[in-house]
Amino acid sequence: MTNLKLAVIYYSSTGTNYQLAQWAEAGGKEAGAEVKLLKVPETAPQEAIESNPAWKAHYEATKDVPEVTLDDLEWADAIIFSVPTRFGNMPSQMKAFLDTTGGLWFNGKLVNKTVSAMTSAQNPHGGQESTLLALYTTMYHWGAIVAAPGYTDPVTFAAGGNPYGTSVSVNQDGEMVEDVQAAVIHQAKRTLSIAEKLK
Ligand SMILES: Cc1cc2nc3c(=O)[nH]c(=O)nc-3n(C[C@H](O)[C@H](O)[C@H](O)COP(=O)(O)O)c2cc1C
């Protein structure tokens, strides 16, 4: 997969989705792809970030992670998204970024991008699937090819069995409950393998 370009695009307030994105980045590199790890711009008011010590600490710690641009979308053959669940939906930060892609969409620049997504939530039934499906709705409008993991490898079962994309629950202390690292790496490699076939 030497000629493949993978963009891992995430939003995270308290670090979970940053970790998922880093595992996807590692999986992509293992597969031989050129990988960019990119965050979407924070849009929350500074006082909201300041009022939550975990959010503030993560915000400060990831200041140097590059912010995604529209050029990155055009550059990528494959894109993996990672976002926390917000009321069973994607966070507004990711939606705000997706809503800037109208020009690329209009010019057909997003057609046939191979995509998949990951998420986290406090509760196993707190909207993990609906968040992924909400994100995929936009992907269908792009004309992208959704390469969800399905049950293509036993690691999906060990990670909680979400076929739409790897998802993880976080406890009250913000720690991941299920061990999903292998599932994330499998998802990254599978997304790239579909991108390779398309390319
Ligand atoms: C505004 C808001 C809405 C949330 N909605 C849900 C939800 O619908 N279901 C759920 O299980 N967890 C919900 N959570 C918990 C987050 O999903 C959890 O904190 C997140 O997955 C952690 O990811 P991060 O560390 O990458 O920010 C919500 C959190 C916030 C702040």
Side-chain angles (χ1 to χ4, degrees):
M1 299 189 190
T2 43
N3 289 322
L4 284 179
K5 301 185 191 85
L6 169 68
V8 182
I9 302 172
Y10 77 96
Y11 174 75
S12 185
S13 293
T14 55
T16 314
N17 287 272
Y18 180 49
Q19 177 64 79
L20 296 176
Q22 286 177 305
W23 286 333
E25 177 191 30
K29 285 184 176 166
E30 249 177 66
E34 191 182 338
V35 187
K36 288 185 184 180
L37 177 67
L38 304 157
K39 67 183 181 200
V40 297
E42 182 57 85
T43 58
Q46 200 62 32
E47 59 263 35
I49 301 170
E50 303 277 339
S51 69
N52 178 333
W55 192 354
K56 183 168 187 273
H58 178 70
Y59 180 76
E60 297 294 337
T62 52
K63 275 220 149 118
D64 292 338
V65 176
E67 285 189 349
V68 64
T69 66
L70 295 175
D71 287 345
D72 295 316
L73 293 181
E74 210 171 335
W75 168 86
D77 301 305
I79 304 167
I80 298 176
F81 295 95
S82 195
V83 290
T85 287
R86 294 279 185 263
F87 306 121
N89 213 315
M90 76 181 95
S92 57
Q93 289 85 348
M94 180 59 80
K95 186 68 166 69
F97 172 67
L98 293 178
D99 286 354
T100 67
T101 64
L104 287 179
W105 165 83
F106 183 76
N107 289 298
K109 302 285 189 189
L110 301 168
V111 170
N112 291 347
K113 302 283 179 189
T114 306
V115 301
S116 67
M118 311 184 287
T119 191
S120 68
Q122 190 110 48
N123 308 282
H125 302 291
Q128 302 186 6
E129 286 96 335
S130 58
T131 295
L132 295 171
L133 293 172
L135 209 146
Y136 289 158
T137 298
T138 300
M139 298 302 106
Y140 297 128
H141 285 249
W142 280 11
I145 308 300
V146 175
Y151 296 104
T152 51
D153 191 285
V155 287
T156 302
F157 296 104
N162 189 340
Y164 305 103
T166 307
S167 65
V168 69
S169 314
V170 287
N171 65 20
Q172 296 289 350
D173 298 323
E175 296 155 348
M176 294 193 201
V177 177
E178 301 89 6
D179 182 2
V180 299
Q181 184 173 2
V184 172
I185 288 171
H186 168 66
Q187 181 171 337
K189 290 181 178 173
R190 171 170 159 76
T191 305
L192 283 166
S193 76
I194 304 299
E196 186 175 44
K197 289 188 211 302
L198 278 173
K199 207 174 176 181

